[in-house]
């Protein structure tokens, strides 16, 4: 893709909407779709920017096709820009209600419509798609009034997207009124909001001169999952600060971008920042980085570290990476387990451990994280915010103290290590629907424990060993006798109702009776975890709970840390 027809720059919303440019949402783009959740998040971002005295807040990327200037086609970012436009309509209308016609007029001219000097007509700054525009212009831009909009919102025949447009208006109207009630100077509230939108809401605007490139960028932004809006924001900032190191910075960034094909770039940068510098939320990541990386040397040093960390980060999700060739095979097994668990909050800890601790200590930290993740996240499903905070503390401890033993590290984490009683109780109640790989892993570990192998083993091959639901997922009446006082659907995905079977046998069982399953399959299985089912004459809630309680006791021994 040629870059000669592509331009990107950071721009405030005020600058974006200034001048004679207008923005048009192509007819084939989706309708307005933001719900109260997204609108409230935008409102919080704006008010937090004001209340915390921030100089800017990044709202993401806006991609335009500028081949038809002064009309710019919105390829990506129309939901954000549409909602900001609705917000400015609300500000204008409330300014009118407050008798501040000058402010209302200024908002209209600056954000909603501009005078075409040739036609002497006011032309809208934003034109929505074919399905939404007439409703938006007639009811929101032309200002029907709050009571009229409330009545329109009650119309059950209203199209979904039109209802969402009105709901967004009413939602923002409510938020502004609530904020005004808390202030002595209501006029100042309106001005602060307008100034924040004008000067502090920052977007990266990607302008493309031809249609082919504009949609290739659109697909890249939306389909590859790389959070390129944040990445491009960072790239622009780093390049602007690179100075004499610009060539080196460009090469480093290109290397990181290539590696980022295997993971989420924004998440990686945040985890790296956590491991190397300080705790930060994703929302504040850019602001923190911009405040710390001021000189060309700062930028180059940062990218040198980021480039090295990218190799390790990608390897955390690829147990076969060359990064692990010098380690014992158990390191690869533990990385596979984290992949099965689908956890990544711990990556900042692992980056810090790899960067700051002796090589022989890393496998112990990894094992600690595997056991902790299984107990805390997979089985107990405990508060992720508490885990995030604990990981932030341990990362700082590793970075600053560089401990020499695994025990010292565990001492910092033991407050979030679920005790056996808590873990066993959670395990005894655990259900796993749509998690066959995880269930197979758990059952294979328990089977190994039952047969005397207390070491953790790798996940069995799903093509060789199938997950078997003893009480079948498709129920027949012949199964319901033991469930006269309980809902069988509550037991199908309980761990106590699951076992492992040879895949060829499993396909033939279907939803046969319990006695048939025992005779045709369980009796011939070589797996201890399956053979034990033969000890039960019938299969119902009591048997499932009894078996799962036994599993829970074994789990306390399998997934444990003794420091």
């Amino acid at each position: 893709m040629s870059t000669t027809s592509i331009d990107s720059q950071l721009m405030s919303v005020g600058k974006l909407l200034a001048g004679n440019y207008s923005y048009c949402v192509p007819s084939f783009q989706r309708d307005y779709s933001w719900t109260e959740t997204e609108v409230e998040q935008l409102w919080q971002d704006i008010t937090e920017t004001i209340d915390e005295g921030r100089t800017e807040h990044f709202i993401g990327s806006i991609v335009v096709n500028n081949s038809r200037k002064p009309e710019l086609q919105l390829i990506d970012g129309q939901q954000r820009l549409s909602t900001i436009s609705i917000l400015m309509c609300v500000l204008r209308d409330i300014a009118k209600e407050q008798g501040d016609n000058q402010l209302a007029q200024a908002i209209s001219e600056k954000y909603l419509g501009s005078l075409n000097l040739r036609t002497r007509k006011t032309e809208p700054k934003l034109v929505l798609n074919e399905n939404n525009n007439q409703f938006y212009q007639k009811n929101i831009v032309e200002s029907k009034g709050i009571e009229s909009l409330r009545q329109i919102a009650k119309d059950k025949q209203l199209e979904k997207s039109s209802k969402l447009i009105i709901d967004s208006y009413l939602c923002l109207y409510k938020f502004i009124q609530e904020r005004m009630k808390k202030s002595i100077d209501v006029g100042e509230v309106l001005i602060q909001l307008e100034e924040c939108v004008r000067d502090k809401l920052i977007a990266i605007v990607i302008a493309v001169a031809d249609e082919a490139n504009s949609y290739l960028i659109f697909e890249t932004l939306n389909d590859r999952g790389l959070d390129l809006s944040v990445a491009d924001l960072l790239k622009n900032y780093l390049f602007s600060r690179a100075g004499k190191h610009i060539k080196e910075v460009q090469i480093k960034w290109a290397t990181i971008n290539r590696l980022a094909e295997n993971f989420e770039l924004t998440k990686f940068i945040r985890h790296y920042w956590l491991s190397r510098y300080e705790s930060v939320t994703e929302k504040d990541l850019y602001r923190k980085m911009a405040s710390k990386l001021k000189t060309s040397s700062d930028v180059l040093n940062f990218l040198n570290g980021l480039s090295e960390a990218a190799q390790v980060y990608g390897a955390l999700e690829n147990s076969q990476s060359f990064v692990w060739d010098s380690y014992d095979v158990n390191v690869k097994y533990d990385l596979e387990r984290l992949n099965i668990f689908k956890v990544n909050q711990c990556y900042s800890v692992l980056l810090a451990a790899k960067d700051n601790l002796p090589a022989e200590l890393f496998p112990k930290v990894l094992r600690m994280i595997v056991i902790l993740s299984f107990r805390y996240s997979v089985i107990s499903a405990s508060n992720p915010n508490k885990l995030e905070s604990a990981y932030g503390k341990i990362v700082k401890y590793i970075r600053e103290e560089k401990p020499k033993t695994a025990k010292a590290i565990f001492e910092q984490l033991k407050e979030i290590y679920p005790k056996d009683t808590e873990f066993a109780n959670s395990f005894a109640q655990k259900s796993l629907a749509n998690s066959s790989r995880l269930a197979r892993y758990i059952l294979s570990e328990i089977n190994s424990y039952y047969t005397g192998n207390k070491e953790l083993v790798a996940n069995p091959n799903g093509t060789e060993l199938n997950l078997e639901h003893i009480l079948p997922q498709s129920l027949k009446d012949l199964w319901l006798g033991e469930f006269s006082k309980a809902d069988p659907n509550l037991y199908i995905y309980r761990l106590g109702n699951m076992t492992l079977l040879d895949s060829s046998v499993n396909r033939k069982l279907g939803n046969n009776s319990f006695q048939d399953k025992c005779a045709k399959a369980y009796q011939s299985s070589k797996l201890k975890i399956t053979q034990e089912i033969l000890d039960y004459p019938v299969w119902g809630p009591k048997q499932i709970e009894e078996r799962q309680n036994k599993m829970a006791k074994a789990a306390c021994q399998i997934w444990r840390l003794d420091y």
Side-chain angles (χ1 to χ4, degrees):
M1 183 173 70
S2 171
T3 59
T4 56
S5 60
I6 300 172
D7 176 56
S8 65
Q9 59 179 309
L10 291 174
M11 191 179 293
S12 69
V13 169
K15 185 177 179 181
L16 183 72
L17 294 174
N20 293 321
Y21 288 125
S22 63
Y23 298 84
C24 174
V25 179
S27 59
F28 49 82
Q29 292 280 28
R30 63 177 176 161
D31 292 347
Y32 184 78
S33 62
W34 270 22
T35 65
E36 185 171 342
T37 300
E38 290 84 19
V39 174
E40 184 172 5
Q41 183 60 61
L42 175 66
W43 174 254
Q44 287 178 356
D45 291 341
I46 292 171
T47 53
E48 285 176 8
T49 299
I50 295 170
D51 296 340
E52 295 174 13
R54 300 179 193 170
T55 57
E56 59 186 30
H57 175 75
F58 179 61
I59 62 169
S61 64
I62 293 175
V63 181
V64 298
N65 182 330
N66 64 358
S67 60
R68 302 175 187 172
K69 293 179 182 177
E71 181 185 275
L72 307 180
Q73 278 200 316
L74 269 171
I75 306 304
D76 193 30
Q78 69 266 27
Q79 302 294 331
R80 280 173 301 233
L81 205 56
S82 298
T83 308
I84 289 170
S85 181
I86 293 171
L87 170 62
M88 302 319 292
C89 289
V90 177
L91 280 178
R92 174 205 61 194
D93 294 346
I94 292 179
K96 284 182 181 177
E97 291 174 6
Q98 297 295 317
D100 193 341
N101 291 323
Q102 281 187 318
L103 178 59
Q105 183 67 22
I107 290 172
S108 288
E109 292 175 356
K110 195 178 296 183
Y111 301 100
L112 304 176
S114 58
L115 183 68
N116 185 314
L117 296 178
R118 283 189 179 277
T119 64
R120 301 303 170 109
K121 292 181 179 179
T122 299
E123 297 181 347
K125 291 279 189 179
L126 176 65
V127 176
L128 300 190
N129 72 4
E130 225 170 67
N131 195 43
N132 289 155
N133 191 57
Q134 184 177 357
F135 181 88
Y136 166 71
Q137 299 295 341
K138 181 180 178 181
N139 295 287
I140 306 298
V141 177
E142 294 180 12
S143 185
K144 282 283 186 180
I146 187 65
E147 292 306 323
S148 177
L149 290 177
R150 283 172 177 157
Q151 288 302 314
I152 294 171
K154 296 176 182 178
D155 184 357
K156 293 182 179 180
Q157 303 302 315
L158 207 58
E159 284 193 13
K160 181 180 178 182
S161 56
S162 297
K163 179 71 162 59
L164 289 172
I165 289 171
I166 281 199
D167 286 347
S168 294
Y169 181 101
L170 296 176
C171 183
L172 289 164
Y173 185 92
K174 179 185 72 173
F175 289 153
I176 295 174
Q177 291 288 353
E178 289 172 352
R179 189 171 177 87
M180 288 168 60
K181 288 177 183 177
K182 298 175 184 177
S183 175
I184 299 173
D185 189 346
V186 295
E188 180 65 17
V189 170
L190 301 180
I191 291 171
Q192 281 183 343
L193 290 168
E194 186 276 330
E195 288 177 341
C196 181
V197 171
R198 183 188 69 201
D199 300 326
K200 297 182 179 182
L201 294 192
I202 307 295
I204 182 165
V205 180
I206 303 173
V208 185
D210 69 271
E211 211 163 345
N213 278 346
S214 65
Y215 292 107
L216 186 54
I217 288 177
F218 173 78
E219 289 172 4
T220 302
L221 288 167
N222 286 276
D223 293 338
R224 287 178 62 192
L226 294 181
D227 288 338
L228 289 184
S229 59
V230 177
D232 271 338
L233 173 67
L234 176 60
K235 181 190 75 173
N236 275 269
Y237 179 79
L238 295 178
F239 284 11
S240 72
R241 295 291 191 274
K244 63 182 180 180
H245 298 302
I246 184 63
K247 290 295 182 185
E248 295 169 88
V249 167
Q250 288 173 337
I251 291 170
K252 289 290 182 185
W253 186 261
T255 301
I256 293 165
N257 248 344
R258 282 195 298 272
L259 292 168
E261 292 178 1
N262 300 314
F263 51 77
E264 293 182 47
L265 186 53
T266 299
K267 189 173 287 185
F268 157 60
I269 294 172
R270 176 173 175 262
H271 283 153
Y272 174 73
W273 193 267
L274 289 167
S275 73
R276 186 64 66 92
Y277 299 100
E278 60 187 333
S279 293
V280 64
T281 62
E282 188 170 313
K283 187 169 64 174
D284 288 337
L285 179 60
Y286 169 72
R287 187 165 58 91
K288 287 279 189 181
M289 294 174 71
S291 68
K292 200 172 189 75
L293 307 176
K294 297 291 188 183
T295 68
S296 60
S297 295
D298 290 340
V299 168
L300 186 59
N301 290 336
F302 172 75
L303 281 178
N304 282 334
L306 192 68
S307 180
E308 292 174 9
Q311 289 278 7
V312 177
Y313 196 86
L316 292 175
E317 296 189 349
N318 176 18
S319 63
Q320 302 308 309
S321 168
F322 72 89
V323 171
W324 313 119
D325 286 351
S326 61
Y327 288 89
D328 182 85
V329 69
N330 285 318
V331 165
K332 295 184 177 184
Y333 289 159
D334 276 338
L335 290 168
E336 288 173 14
R337 292 180 183 106
L338 289 182
N339 185 256
I340 292 169
F341 300 166
K342 297 181 180 179
V343 296
N344 55 46
Q345 277 184 298
C346 57
Y347 284 3
S348 59
V349 178
L350 297 176
L351 286 177
K354 190 80 169 58
D355 198 36
N356 294 280
L357 301 180
E360 63 271 16
L361 197 51
F362 179 80
K364 295 179 180 179
V365 174
L366 176 59
R367 173 58 61 89
M368 192 182 301
I369 291 297
V370 167
I371 302 300
L372 180 62
S373 296
F374 186 78
R375 283 198 172 215
Y376 189 95
S377 301
V378 176
I379 298 300
S380 301
S382 298
N383 187 345
N385 294 330
K386 186 177 178 182
L387 187 64
E388 177 87 9
S389 176
Y391 280 159
K393 291 176 185 176
I394 193 63
V395 163
K396 183 179 180 183
Y397 175 71
I398 291 173
R399 187 173 62 238
E400 295 179 356
E401 302 298 329
K402 295 181 172 50
K404 298 294 188 287
T405 66
K407 182 177 181 180
I409 295 171
F410 178 71
E411 286 297 314
Q412 303 295 316
L413 284 172
K414 66 181 182 181
E415 65 177 274
I416 58 166
Y417 176 75
K419 300 290 191 295
D420 280 354
T421 303
E422 175 191 346
F423 174 60
N425 287 340
S426 296
F427 194 101
Q429 299 297 318
K430 193 68 179 179
S431 293
L432 289 177
N434 304 316
S435 302
S436 58
R437 189 181 178 209
L438 175 60
R440 282 200 312 273
Y441 159 75
I442 294 171
L443 295 172
S444 69
E445 300 289 20
I446 293 174
N447 182 71
S448 294
Y449 178 79
Y450 286 171
T451 56
N453 178 9
K454 296 186 181 181
E455 290 297 317
L456 292 172
V457 296
N459 186 48
N461 189 329
T463 61
E464 297 174 3
L465 281 178
N466 273 5
L467 183 65
E468 155 74 353
H469 295 80
I470 304 164
L471 171 68
Q473 297 177 80
S474 299
L475 290 170
K476 283 187 175 179
D477 290 345
L478 54 84
W479 278 94
L480 301 181
E482 297 299 319
F483 290 88
S484 59
K485 296 182 179 179
D487 182 355
N489 293 298
L490 299 177
Y491 288 86
I492 291 172
Y493 299 106
R494 290 281 294 270
L495 280 169
N497 186 54
M498 298 179 184
T499 194
L500 298 172
L501 272 183
D502 180 275
S503 56
S504 61
V505 175
N506 183 263
R507 281 193 293 269
K508 297 174 184 176
L509 280 181
N511 53 8
N512 287 3
S513 69
F514 177 65
Q515 287 72 24
D516 282 348
K517 286 190 172 191
C518 287
K520 295 177 180 179
Y522 305 161
Q523 191 170 342
S524 60
S525 175
K526 296 178 182 179
L527 298 175
K528 183 76 172 174
I529 198 169
T530 303
Q531 291 172 352
E532 69 170 10
I533 299 168
L534 299 173
D535 296 336
Y536 297 100
V538 295
W539 196 250
K542 179 182 177 182
Q543 290 74 30
I544 293 171
E545 290 171 3
E546 181 180 312
R547 183 167 178 261
Q548 193 159 338
N549 284 332
K550 179 186 175 184
M551 288 179 172
K553 291 177 182 177
C556 288
Q557 301 306 312
I558 299 167
W559 292 279
R560 72 180 299 106
L561 294 170
D562 290 313
Y563 286 106

